[in-house]
Amino acid sequence: MKLILKQYLASLRERQELDAVLPDLLSSMGMNVFISPTRGVKEYGVDIAAVGQVNDQEEKVYLFSVKSGNLTRETWNGNADQALRPSLDEIQDSFILSRLPPEHRDKKIVICLCFGGDVNSGIRQEVSGYEQRNTRDNISFEEWNGDKLSEFIQQYLLKEELLPSSSQALLRKSLALLEEPHSSSNHFSLLIDEVLSNATDADSIASSITRINVCLWVLFSWCRDGENLEAAYLSSERALLLAWDKVKDYYTGRNKPSKSFDSILDTYQQITDCYVDRCLIPYVGLKYALSYAVHSPCSIDVNIKLFDVLGRLAVKGHWILDSLTKSYAKKPPTDGESEEQERLRLRLRDVTSAINLLAINNPMLLSPYKDSQAIDFGLALTLLSNNSELDGFVQSWLSGMVDKCIFTFECDGMYPIMHNSYEKLLEHRNKDKTNSNYKNKVTEASVLYPLLAVFCSLYKLDSVNQDLEKFAKDKLTHSTLQYWYPNQSSEQDMYSNSSTHGSASTDFPMNGSAALEHIKQECVNADSFKSMSAVTKDKAPLVLTACRCYRYPVPFHYIEDFLNASE
C-alpha cells in the first residue's frame, strides 16, 4: 500500500492536487489548519499552515511550501515558476515576521519542504546546506517527501481501523483492473459501500468521505498515468452520489461534513474535466473520429458509446452552468465579468460547442437504438435550451431525429426499443421482420417520443410536431407514451439507487401545445422535486448526475423557465 500511495503522491500536481490532500491529512493528524491554499492570495511562501503535535512532540507551528513531483535543480532554485528556495526565503523574511498570528509567535516553527517525490541526488548537498545554515533556536526545517507523506496517509487516513484490510484489498484490485474499467469501478463501488456502511454521525460521515476521496485520488492518478480514465470517471460519479446520500442531512456549507463533501465534489470535477479535455473535446471536430475511436465494426457499440459520451458532456455542462449562475447571482456583472465568471462562461461555451460538433460529425446521434437514450438526449437538450445561439442547431437535430425514428420504424430498421441489454439489441438487429407481434412488443412503452414532442413544440417546429403526432396516432397506439417525475420516495433512493422510485404520467399527449400544457401541470403536481435535498441545498446538478448514472429521464422541472418563456 505504501508503494501505491507513493506513486500516487509523486504524480500529483502542486496546485489543487497535492495541496488539496494535505489539509485533510493534517486535520486527521489532530492539527489545526489555519491557512489553506487559496487562489490569488499571496501568503509569502506559505501554501498551508497548521499548528499541533506530530508523533507526540511539543506543539509547534508547521509552515508548508508545496511542490509537485521530485525536487530537482529547476524546482529548487531554477527558472521554474515559484521555485522552492525563494519561497523558503519569503517565509523567513516576511511571513514569520508579519503574517504569523500573534497567538502562535511564542511557539517553535517548523518550515516544511513538501513534495510528492524525492530530492534528486544532484542537489542533496545544496538543500541540506540551506537547512543547516538557516536553522535557529525557534526555527527548524523538515522534509515531507513522498515516503513521509505516504506513511502519514497510511497511519492517519487509511489505517486499519479506518480502512480495513478488506477495503485496502478492494482498492488494490481496482487499481490492478484499470484496463477493465467496469470491473475496476465495481471493486471501487464495493469499497465505497464498505467505508460508508458504518458512518452514522456527522464526524464519522466526514471522516469516511475524506477516506473515499483519498482512495479516489489514488485511482485517478493511476488512471491518468495509464491514459485510461474510464474507471476513474465511473467511480467518481458513484462516489459523489453516495457521499451526498450520506451527508445530505448534515450539509450546511460550512461544517466539517460539508467540507468533506465539497472536497469530493472538487475531485469529481477534476476527473470529469480531465476526461472531457483529454478524451472528447480534441476529437469532436473531426468527422467520425469518436465513432471510429470505439474500435468496433458493430454499429450497436458505436451507437451506445456515442450517446453515453453525449450524456457525459451534457452533465459536465450542467455543473458549469450551475456554477456560472450562482456566480452571477452573487455578483451581477454590471461592470463587466469577473475573471472567474469569464472563465466559466468560456468553459461552458467549449462544452456546448463540443456537443454541437459531436452531433454534426457523428450522424449516429440522429438515430437512438434504445428508448432510454432519451436520457442522454434530454440532458443535452436541457443544457442547450439555455443558449439561444444554438437554437438553429437544436432545431436541425430534433428534425433529423424525428425523421430518422419514423423512417427506421416504417422500414423495420434499427428503430428505438424499450430494452437496454446488448443481447436484445443484437436480436433487434437480426429480428424476423415478418413477425408482426415483435414490433409491438419492443415498443410497448416510450419516454423518447414524449420528449421529442415537448422539445419540438418548445422550438416551434410545427410541421415536425405534426409528423410526430400523426406517427404516434397511426403507429404507436399500442405503446404507453409516458414520462417520469420524482415522487416522495425519490429523495431516499435517488442518490443511492437502492430501489425504484418516481411516478410516471401515462397517456402523454403528442400534440405540441397539449404536451406543453401537460408537463406544466405535471411539474406543478409533482412538487417532490423542489423539496429534494440536492435542489434545496444548491446542488441541483446532482439529480442530473444521478439520472445519467442510474438511467432515469431528466425531470422537466429543469426547463420550467423555458416553458414559461414559451407562453
Side-chain angles (χ1 to χ4, degrees):
M1 181 60 74
K2 183 180 175 182
L3 290 174
I4 289 173
L5 291 172
K6 188 174 179 183
Q7 182 174 342
Y8 146 68
L9 290 164
S11 72
L12 294 184
R13 292 190 286 265
E14 173 187 343
R15 292 286 169 248
Q16 293 187 298
E17 295 194 5
L18 184 55
D19 64 3
V21 173
L22 269 175
D24 285 339
L25 174 59
L26 296 172
S27 295
S28 297
M29 295 169 69
M31 300 174 75
N32 174 29
V33 179
F34 60 89
I35 291 178
S36 293
T38 307
R39 273 188 183 181
V41 177
K42 183 175 175 64
E43 285 296 356
Y44 301 95
V46 174
D47 295 306
I48 299 161
V51 60
Q53 297 174 290
V54 176
N55 296 331
D56 298 324
Q57 298 174 2
E58 64 181 296
E59 188 173 77
K60 299 178 184 178
V61 175
Y62 290 83
L63 306 177
F64 292 85
S65 192
V66 180
K67 300 297 168 217
S68 62
N70 291 328
L71 190 62
T72 63
R73 188 171 300 281
E74 188 74 6
T75 53
W76 166 244
N77 196 26
N79 296 322
D81 289 343
Q82 298 176 321
L84 184 55
R85 179 169 175 168
S87 295
L88 301 180
D89 290 338
E90 271 195 296
I91 293 173
Q92 296 169 85
D93 297 340
S94 303
F95 184 90
I96 293 174
L97 296 175
S98 61
R99 301 283 290 173
L100 194 65
E103 65 267 27
H104 300 319
R105 286 181 181 165
D106 293 334
K107 299 182 176 77
K108 289 187 176 180
I109 296 168
V110 182
I111 299 175
C112 300
L113 294 67
C114 185
F115 40 92
D118 298 303
V119 178
N120 278 15
S121 57
I123 61 162
R124 164 46 67 195
Q125 64 278 10
E126 295 176 30
V127 175
S128 298
Y130 180 92
E131 292 172 355
Q132 289 172 13
R133 283 195 309 277
N134 290 281
T135 297
R136 299 190 286 280
D137 290 341
N138 67 324
I139 297 176
S140 60
F141 290 81
E142 286 185 10
E143 292 175 16
W144 287 46
N145 59 13
D147 269 316
K148 188 165 189 169
L149 288 170
S150 56
E151 281 181 11
F152 281 148
I153 288 174
Q154 265 195 292
Q155 186 177 349
Y156 293 101
L157 279 176
L158 305 180
K159 56 185 176 181
E160 180 63 34
E161 54 269 37
L162 294 178
L163 192 70
S165 56
S166 56
S167 296
Q168 294 185 29
L170 288 169
L171 177 59
R172 289 194 292 270
K173 287 177 183 177
S174 187
L175 297 174
L177 292 168
L178 292 183
E179 296 303 316
E180 298 290 338
H182 286 280
S183 296
S184 175
S185 60
N186 285 342
H187 285 299
F188 200 88
S189 292
L190 293 173
L191 184 154
I192 297 168
D193 292 339
E194 189 171 290
V195 172
L196 290 176
S197 61
N198 296 320
T200 54
D201 56 57
D203 286 343
S204 63
I205 287 170
S207 176
S208 296
I209 292 174
T210 298
R211 291 196 303 278
I212 290 171
N213 195 27
V214 171
C215 292
L216 187 59
W217 262 112
V218 173
L219 180 68
F220 174 42
S221 67
W222 279 55
C223 285
R224 189 168 57 186
D225 287 350
E227 298 186 342
N228 186 345
L229 295 169
E230 185 71 5
Y233 185 97
L234 296 173
S235 298
S236 69
E237 199 170 46
R238 187 153 170 77
L240 180 73
L241 293 170
L242 291 175
W244 180 257
D245 195 49
K246 277 288 185 181
V247 83
K248 60 189 179 184
D249 293 333
Y250 302 93
Y251 190 90
T252 64
R254 294 178 299 276
N255 59 3
K256 194 173 177 183
S258 303
K259 290 176 182 176
S260 294
F261 177 78
D262 289 342
S263 291
I264 204 167
L265 175 58
D266 286 343
T267 305
Y268 165 82
Q269 299 291 12
Q270 291 196 56
I271 291 171
T272 53
D273 276 332
C274 186
Y275 175 83
V276 166
D277 290 337
R278 287 193 182 188
C279 305
L280 303 183
I281 287 179
Y283 310 107
V284 291
L286 304 172
K287 195 75 172 175
Y288 305 118
L290 287 177
S291 298
Y292 179 77
V294 179
H295 291 301
S296 173
C298 179
S299 64
I300 294 172
D301 294 308
V302 178
N303 183 275
I304 290 172
K305 193 59 190 176
L306 284 177
F307 274 94
D308 179 53
V309 161
L310 174 66
R312 296 184 189 197
L313 262 177
V315 168
K316 181 78 254 182
H318 278 290
W319 278 107
I320 300 166
L321 176 63
D322 183 69
S323 298
L324 183 60
T325 304
K326 288 175 184 172
S327 180
Y328 281 160
K330 187 183 294 184
K331 183 184 177 296
T334 50
D335 300 323
E337 291 180 319
S338 67
E339 185 178 327
E340 178 68 6
Q341 287 169 344
E342 183 182 19
R343 184 188 68 80
L344 287 168
R345 180 177 54 80
L346 294 175
R347 179 65 169 158
L348 181 59
R349 189 179 68 183
D350 287 344
V351 172
T352 52
S353 297
I355 292 174
N356 180 1
L357 292 169
L358 175 69
I360 289 171
N361 289 312
N362 297 276
M364 184 69 82
L365 286 173
L366 290 170
S367 184
Y369 287 0
K370 300 188 287 185
D371 192 81
S372 64
Q373 287 168 332
I375 297 164
D376 307 297
F377 192 44
L379 286 166
L381 291 176
T382 51
L383 176 65
L384 297 177
S385 67
N386 292 279
N387 184 351
S388 58
E389 293 178 6
L390 291 173
D391 283 358
F393 158 67
V394 175
Q395 289 169 331
S396 172
W397 196 4
L398 282 164
S399 301
M401 186 172 288
V402 170
D403 287 345
K404 198 77 169 178
C405 287
I406 293 174
F407 176 76
T408 52
F409 189 93
E410 291 180 341
C411 71
D412 283 323
M414 286 295 286
Y415 51 86
I417 62 172
M418 57 184 285
H419 300 297
N420 290 312
S421 73
Y422 194 83
E423 292 79 9
K424 291 290 184 182
L425 288 171
L426 284 174
E427 288 176 14
H428 182 48
R429 189 179 65 175
N430 301 319
K431 59 187 171 289
D432 179 4
K433 295 181 181 180
T434 62
N435 184 349
S436 57
N437 291 328
Y438 173 82
K439 183 176 284 188
N440 287 357
K441 192 171 182 180
V442 297
T443 58
E444 60 187 11
S446 176
V447 296
L448 174 64
Y449 297 117
L451 180 82
L452 290 171
V454 166
F455 277 95
C456 284
S457 183
L458 284 171
Y459 280 92
K460 313 296 186 196
L461 296 170
D462 296 335
S463 62
V464 177
N465 217 302
Q466 289 167 11
D467 291 343
L468 187 59
E469 184 182 1
K470 183 177 184 301
F471 169 68
K473 189 175 181 180
D474 295 344
K475 306 292 185 180
L476 297 177
T477 52
H478 64 281
S479 182
T480 303
L481 300 173
Q482 58 186 297
Y483 208 76
W484 178 89
Y485 300 85
N487 65 5
Q488 301 92 321
S489 63
S490 294
E491 173 59 28
Q492 180 182 335
D493 301 317
M494 186 89 205
Y495 315 109
S496 62
N497 202 33
S498 52
S499 179
T500 55
H501 58 93
S503 302
S505 65
T506 55
D507 297 324
F508 199 100
M510 293 298 287
N511 173 272
S513 57
L516 292 187
E517 197 56 44
H518 176 77
I519 65 169
K520 285 177 193 174
Q521 196 59 46
E522 286 294 334
C523 284
V524 171
N525 294 338
D527 58 355
S528 298
F529 170 82
K530 292 175 182 176
S531 62
M532 293 183 74
S533 60
V535 178
T536 60
K537 299 189 178 184
D538 277 340
K539 295 284 185 288
L542 278 170
V543 176
L544 295 171
T545 306
C547 287
R548 198 212 80 81
C549 183
Y550 301 134
R551 312 311 292 161
Y552 282 94
V554 179
F556 282 127
H557 300 81
Y558 283 95
I559 57 166
E560 278 192 281
D561 290 344
F562 195 6
L563 285 169
N564 296 331
S566 68
E567 291 179 351

